[in-house]
Amino acid sequence: MSSATIRRAFLDHVFYTQGKLPGHASGNDLYQALAHTVRDRLVQRWISTAEAYQSQPSRTVAYLSAEFLMGPHLGNNLVNLGIVEAVRGAMATLNLDLDHILAQEEEPGLGNGGLGRLAACFMDSLATLEIPALGYGIRYEYGIFHQSIIDGMQVESTDTWLRNGNPWEIQRSEWAVEVRLGGHTEHYTDDRGRYRVRWVPAKTVVGVPFDSPILGYRVNTVNTLRLWRAEATEAFDFHTFNRGDYLGAVNKKVTSENLTKVLYPNDETQQGKELRLEQQYFFVACSLQDMLRLLATQGLPVTRFHEKFTVQLNDTHPAVGIAELMRLLIDDHGLAWDEAWHITRRAFAYTNHTLLPEALEQWPLPLFQRILPRHLEIIYEINARFLDEVRIRFYGDESRLARLSLISEHGERHVRMAHLACVGSHTINGVAELHSRLMREDVLKDLYEMWPEKFTSITNGVTPRRWLALANPRLTRLVSEAIGDGWIKDLGQIRALEPYADDPSFRERWQAVRRENKQDLARLVRDATGVVVDPNSMFDVMVKRIHEYKRQHLAVLHIIALYHRIKSDPHADVQPRTFLFAGKAAPGYHYAKLMIRFVTSVAGVVNRDPQVRDRLKVVFLPNFNVTHGQKIYPAADLSEQISLAGKEASGTGNMKFAMNGAITIGTMDGANIELRDAIGADNFFPFGLNASEVYALKAAGYHPSTYYDSSPELRAVVDLIQHGFFSKGDAAVFRPLFDGLLQHDPYLLMADFASYLHCQQQVSAAYGDPERWQRMSVLSSARSGQFSSDRAIEQYCKRVWHAQAVPVCLLHRSSGQVQGARRAEADGIGTFSERCGGSGS
Ligand code: 26Q
């Protein structure tokens, strides 16, 4: 694919697709034209992939997720196609800057954070490993809200990512399906005397699939991300039209289309919102119908569903799929219960992503009944049979029955989605070793005791394509010069970098790369916030969703302690640091929003104080998203992973930082533990109570005020806040944050404060020794190989999905008549011939 070909194709798209002369093209025109140029180069592989899957008996992974936080597509596709430099060159001949064009893409932010981004990394790895896979989700018209900071506070606005159109998707109206909602059920006996149920819905909506290509790295495989959009049915409006009520009909149309309008912006909490349940059921029902259609096109009977598909539930959000598949098999396909249950249980597997009990999904029974009356009946039946099994296994244990029931009976009755997911799945996994253990011992203990053999652990991973090759081209070049570029596809190979940690000239180049990355980030920070930061200072970074359990406020207490040290003794030994925070707070989570205000208020004081402003800088970068992440991870010196032990299921930001050469300060929580083991205790700064100590301390009775009483530094810090020092003398502003701390402190800030400060002191000392720091930094990257999502996907394939790679042969448009010819002819685009072997073209 030469520069000249790309240039020609690009200019054609500027002219024919955007309808512009190059001289008049806007930034968006240039982006759209380049995106179409690249998409064209994916189509042949995409069609070839579909043909390969169609003609093989291979198993397909259906990854069901309410969120896919993909981030921008264009740059990633260039990396995976291996044409970044060719395209950069082509653009340069037109006096255009590729990076400027890439920056025009509105990222699809169809996720809240970790869980949605994990789904995106998994899609990249599935394609790279050539595993037949379909990602199924929701095409939200508005993704995660846009965050601005006004007067130090978060202000949300809608994310209109589709404003300029989406060049990556293809609408597939021919595969639209109908989804029913509400109404009631009727029971009858069919002509063969069998008991049957008819669901009479209150409304029907149409699901229209939009497909985006997911290209693997340097392979022919292009998998599909299929996102569903809700539309109104014609039939449904008919009666209203006939009554002459045109506006009423239009109104109903609007109501239907509301279903996929917006992503719910709360993670880790769950409010029983009707529309959210409708969204979940909607995309799951669409996806299962789609799978049944695909099964039929291969001439396979529904009884072989589980052989053709392995369906992964990304948390419980799609767990209603278990009841839906039962309904489809029994009500629509006439299977008996036992046969349907056999198929269902062999098809589904469930990944749990949380240890917070308040985050476990539960739906109030009346709401569930109103929206999914037939599914509730099915869930009752699943529950009755399940509890019969429990009664026999745990004879006489009545309280266990109540704990295990799919229906919780505390106060208002609820459907427990995690229980449904466990009962209906063959495999259940946690996302880090500690998380999986606590899942077995605590959150899902009773379910574990029921079926210990179903439980496993697969530690999360992130894709080195986006998070290194794309985000950090300078480091990528340096690493590849040293050890070749095999690590991009097989991150374990990056270990070959280890000896270079002791090579002074390599370390120097390493430092130079990181230094340039810091300068880039400094520019971004200045443009976004007006704050000028010094790339010589340590970049101390905490970017993630704002949550009490993640403890952004602990990081701020440290900043205040340093501030206090300098103010008390201007000669105090404080290493220059730039503290960078970013992350969104759920709009209704007042405490989290107050934490943002706390960061920006402290920033306001610290950055303005002439005595400290050359040594400490605090920045809150608004609107953290994938695009910002790509600039931040490569420029961080210190990665803050400071959640209370036992609360963060895994974390994935920790891995992105480590790969890019940041050093971690972290608690023994989530995947931090495995990260520390991999990178070596000498190259990692652990602090704080571990999960068992947290448990023991809480059990023994935790009294936060004792820490306040016994530590003068902690007292000084808390007093400054309480006296309104950071809120222009208004002591009331942050009172909700700190009254809590001295009385309840559920996330044990007071208990971990001393350990955190002590550890930060050691971090400063290490940073003061550049040779040591750069060595640690190289080792951090060199030893991060196991945190590739490729490793995670390989484990899912072996242990959960039993799916194998299907290499894709490229089909060529030509006059030959081999496979695919019939369809190609029908499409009027000529015929295809097949060429196998070798990847790329
Ligand atoms: C549920 C019901 C209603 C509305 C919203 C939700 C909802 C949405 C998103 C609940 C949870 C989420 C997201 C959870 C999440 O991102 N969890 C993170 O998953 C990562 C990937 O496994 C882990 O690394 C993180 O530790 C975990 O917090």
Side-chain angles (χ1 to χ4, degrees):
M1 221 176 285
S2 74
S3 220
T5 322
I6 291 164
R7 180 191 146 109
R8 180 75 262 149
F10 170 74
L11 288 172
D12 278 350
H13 275 299
V14 172
F15 192 81
Y16 292 109
T17 307
Q18 295 306 110
K20 288 277 182 75
L21 288 170
H24 295 145
S26 66
N28 177 57
D29 290 327
L30 299 173
Y31 161 70
Q32 297 285 341
L34 189 57
H36 275 102
T37 305
V38 172
R39 193 182 94 175
D40 291 346
R41 266 113 206 109
L42 300 184
V43 166
Q44 186 190 14
R45 287 180 175 82
W46 204 3
I47 291 173
S48 304
T49 304
E51 290 293 332
Y53 294 170
Q54 178 70 27
S55 62
Q56 306 236 358
S58 54
R59 204 163 207 216
T60 299
V61 177
Y63 198 83
L64 261 55
S65 180
E67 306 192 357
F68 284 92
L69 185 43
M70 300 303 288
H73 286 286
L74 179 54
N76 199 243
N77 283 326
L78 294 180
V79 165
N80 286 7
L81 279 170
I83 59 169
V84 177
E85 291 317 315
V87 171
R88 190 182 299 282
M91 295 301 105
T93 65
L94 298 165
N95 256 329
L96 297 171
D97 174 20
L98 175 61
D99 294 324
H100 178 75
I101 297 177
L102 293 179
Q104 304 293 317
E105 181 168 354
E106 294 259 5
E107 74 166 70
L110 308 187
N112 273 284
L115 166 143
R117 184 52 232 175
L118 185 77
C121 284
F122 280 5
M123 290 306 293
D124 180 86
S125 287
L126 282 161
T128 297
L129 295 171
E130 306 178 295
I131 307 294
L134 265 160
Y136 280 114
I138 300 173
R139 182 177 176 278
Y140 300 106
E141 188 173 335
Y142 304 118
I144 186 69
F145 64 85
H146 179 276
Q147 176 196 57
S148 326
I149 300 296
I150 297 177
D151 296 332
M153 288 176 275
Q154 168 173 299
V155 175
E156 304 90 16
S157 50
T158 47
D159 161 52
T160 50
W161 70 290
L162 290 166
R163 192 177 30 194
N164 299 320
N166 173 7
W168 302 103
E169 67 188 10
I170 296 183
Q171 178 172 347
R172 303 285 190 191
S173 302
E174 70 274 31
W175 298 328
V177 296
E178 290 199 350
V179 174
R180 301 183 283 177
L181 291 158
H184 63 277
T185 58
E186 291 169 0
H187 298 221
Y188 65 100
T189 310
D190 70 10
D191 42 18
R192 288 201 274 156
R194 295 183 310 178
Y195 168 79
R196 302 294 294 261
V197 180
R198 186 184 305 120
W199 176 15
V200 185
K203 61 176 176 182
T204 306
V205 293
V206 171
V208 180
F210 287 71
D211 289 357
S212 296
I214 307 294
L215 169 70
Y217 179 75
R218 311 282 158 98
V219 289
N220 289 329
T221 301
V222 176
N223 283 333
T224 297
L225 174 63
R226 183 161 289 165
L227 303 180
W228 299 94
R229 178 190 132 118
E231 288 183 2
T233 50
E234 284 301 324
F236 165 56
D237 291 332
F238 199 64
H239 300 296
T240 332
F241 272 118
N242 275 355
R243 287 207 316 270
D245 184 7
Y246 173 69
L247 291 178
V250 172
N251 200 20
K252 282 187 174 177
K253 187 169 162 68
V254 171
T255 310
S256 301
E257 295 178 355
N258 271 344
L259 230 154
T260 51
K261 197 58 81 181
V262 61
L263 166 74
Y264 276 84
N266 30 349
D267 61 338
E268 316 275 355
T269 52
Q270 108 104 20
Q271 307 152 307
K273 287 279 190 293
E274 191 157 320
L275 186 63
R276 170 75 188 188
L277 182 60
E278 289 185 348
Q279 286 184 338
Q280 295 184 351
Y281 174 65
F282 166 76
F283 95 88
V284 163
C286 290
S287 307
L288 284 168
Q289 282 187 64
D290 196 55
M291 287 179 243
L292 290 176
R293 175 184 63 81
L294 289 166
L295 201 65
T297 61
Q298 293 215 343
L300 296 170
V302 292
T303 48
R304 298 185 61 188
F305 181 89
H306 58 293
E307 294 171 28
K308 186 66 201 169
F309 289 103
T310 169
V311 186
Q312 191 65 30
L313 302 173
N314 196 23
D315 215 296
T316 54
H317 316 151
V320 68
I322 290 166
E324 172 67 0
L325 184 59
M326 288 298 285
R327 187 191 70 77
L328 288 165
L329 295 177
I330 295 171
D331 295 355
D332 292 3
H333 292 272
L335 266 57
W337 182 277
D338 288 328
E339 195 179 8
W341 188 236
H342 173 92
I343 294 164
T344 300
R345 261 203 174 183
R346 273 158 193 75
F348 284 92
Y350 157 55
T351 306
N352 172 283
H353 295 267
T354 190
L355 286 164
L356 309 179
E358 67 269 27
L360 291 179
E361 268 195 303
Q362 303 208 16
W363 292 103
L365 222 59
L367 188 156
F368 206 99
Q369 161 84 53
R370 198 161 58 242
I371 295 171
L372 301 170
R374 176 61 182 138
H375 298 78
L376 189 60
E377 289 176 352
I378 291 171
I379 288 171
Y380 281 151
E381 184 63 26
I382 294 173
N383 198 35
R385 290 166 183 250
F386 168 54
L387 293 181
D388 279 346
E389 210 179 319
V390 177
R391 250 179 231 109
I392 293 165
R393 277 279 298 283
F394 297 94
Y395 182 70
D397 193 346
E398 281 302 313
S399 64
R400 186 181 295 264
L401 283 171
R403 293 200 307 273
L404 274 170
S405 174
L406 304 198
I407 310 296
S408 81
E409 311 270 350
H410 307 297
E412 199 195 355
R413 301 206 298 161
H414 286 82
V415 182
R416 292 165 161 159
M417 300 309 277
H419 292 221
L420 174 62
C422 287
V423 173
S425 293
H426 55 84
T427 308
I428 300 150
N429 77 286
V431 290
E433 287 295 333
L434 174 69
H435 168 231
S436 302
R437 176 166 74 78
L438 295 175
M439 214 174 80
R440 295 191 301 262
E441 292 175 356
D442 189 21
V443 194
L444 301 177
K445 183 170 189 283
D446 294 304
L447 288 149
Y448 173 69
E449 287 172 1
M450 195 65 201
W451 304 291
E453 69 285 355
K454 281 198 196 183
F455 284 69
T456 187
S457 179
I458 299 180
T459 301
N460 284 164
V462 302
T463 169
R465 270 75 63 186
R466 183 176 292 273
W467 297 112
L468 277 171
L470 175 63
N472 202 344
R474 296 186 184 102
L475 202 80
T476 297
R477 227 170 293 129
L478 178 58
V479 173
S480 298
E481 277 167 25
I483 63 168
D485 65 2
W487 58 273
I488 300 175
K489 221 186 146 101
D490 174 13
L491 196 62
Q493 289 184 29
I494 202 169
R495 186 168 284 268
L497 217 52
E498 260 189 42
Y500 290 88
D502 294 318
D503 173 346
S505 86
F506 184 84
R507 279 203 309 264
E508 219 163 88
R509 283 187 288 159
W510 186 268
Q511 184 166 14
V513 159
R514 298 186 48 73
R515 171 76 213 225
E516 285 182 71
N517 292 344
K518 287 171 76 174
Q519 283 163 343
D520 285 354
L521 180 58
R523 261 188 298 277
L524 176 88
V525 164
R526 191 199 55 204
D527 295 348
T529 66
V531 181
V532 175
V533 302
D534 177 7
N536 287 316
S537 64
M538 180 203 300
F539 281 14
D540 177 335
V541 185
M542 184 162 188
V543 293
K544 48 182 84 246
R545 286 294 290 250
I546 314 294
H547 265 286
E548 290 162 87
Y549 84 82
K550 294 181 190 278
R551 304 199 295 191
Q552 277 89 358
H553 44 351
L554 179 59
V556 181
L557 294 186
H558 172 233
I559 299 171
I560 298 174
L562 295 180
Y563 176 79
H564 177 68
R565 280 181 204 168
I566 298 174
K567 294 304 279 182
S568 317
D569 170 12
H571 302 292
D573 178 22
V574 174
Q575 202 35 266
R577 287 203 200 203
T578 297
F579 296 92
L580 178 71
F581 293 86
K584 292 175 184 176
Y589 186 0
H590 299 295
Y591 203 104
K593 290 183 128 177
L594 193 57
M595 282 172 59
I596 292 178
R597 194 168 173 198
F598 185 44
V599 174
T600 58
S601 302
V602 171
V605 171
V606 170
N607 298 351
R608 228 174 289 121
D609 189 327
Q611 225 179 355
V612 295
R613 70 176 171 206
D614 293 332
R615 296 158 82 186
L616 304 180
K617 275 277 155 63
V618 184
V619 181
F620 190 95
L621 184 71
N623 202 40
F624 182 55
N625 56 12
V626 174
T627 307
H628 282 160
Q630 289 175 199
K631 291 271 172 271
I632 294 171
Y633 298 117
D637 293 305
L638 187 65
S639 156
E640 297 272 355
Q641 306 300 335
I642 63 177
S643 51
L644 175 64
K647 296 289 177 191
E648 189 71 88
S650 161
T652 45
N654 46 4
M655 304 168 187
K656 296 164 198 165
F657 278 112
M659 274 179 197
N660 279 282
I663 307 304
T664 308
I665 181 167
T667 47
M668 288 298 98
D669 199 15
N672 294 351
I673 300 175
E674 288 145 85
L675 201 58
R676 194 254 339 240
D677 293 345
I679 288 178
D682 297 346
N683 308 299
F684 188 104
F685 292 95
F687 76 95
L689 301 170
N690 65 29
S692 337
E693 288 163 347
V694 168
Y695 185 85
L697 179 59
K698 286 199 170 171
Y702 172 57
H703 304 291
S705 55
T706 56
Y707 299 86
Y708 172 87
D709 294 335
S710 61
S711 160
E713 186 161 42
L714 177 55
R715 200 158 56 237
V717 167
V718 173
D719 287 353
L720 273 177
I721 303 161
Q722 282 190 323
H723 296 150
F725 186 81
F726 299 103
S727 38
K728 303 194 162 73
D730 183 353
V733 176
F734 298 122
R735 193 168 291 145
L737 280 180
F738 294 94
D739 275 359
L741 277 192
L742 294 182
Q743 283 149 27
H744 317 289
D745 188 18
Y747 299 99
L748 309 199
L749 268 74
M750 300 289 114
D752 275 349
F753 178 81
S755 166
Y756 182 53
L757 260 76
H758 176 73
C759 192
Q760 284 286 16
Q761 195 83 2
Q762 295 176 314
V763 169
S764 292
Y767 193 76
D769 178 353
E771 193 183 310
R772 176 175 170 211
W773 189 271
Q774 294 308 325
R775 173 179 290 115
M776 290 169 72
S777 171
V778 174
L779 289 176
S780 173
S781 294
R783 297 175 178 172
S784 64
Q786 75 189 75
F787 301 100
S788 166
S789 44
D790 298 344
R791 184 269 314 146
I793 288 300
E794 275 165 0
Q795 292 177 328
Y796 278 97
C797 284
K798 285 210 183 76
R799 281 194 241 159
V800 185
W801 299 331
H802 306 288
Q804 269 110 36
V806 173
V808 171
C809 303
L810 270 193
L811 303 177
H812 281 274
R813 269 180 76 177
S814 73
S815 53
Q817 34 240 293
V818 197
Q819 280 179 25
R822 209 159 33 90
R823 200 175 80 190
E825 266 165 8
D827 290 345
I829 55 168
T831 53
F832 285 84
S833 69
E834 191 176 14
R835 184 175 65 80
C836 272
S839 56
S841 67

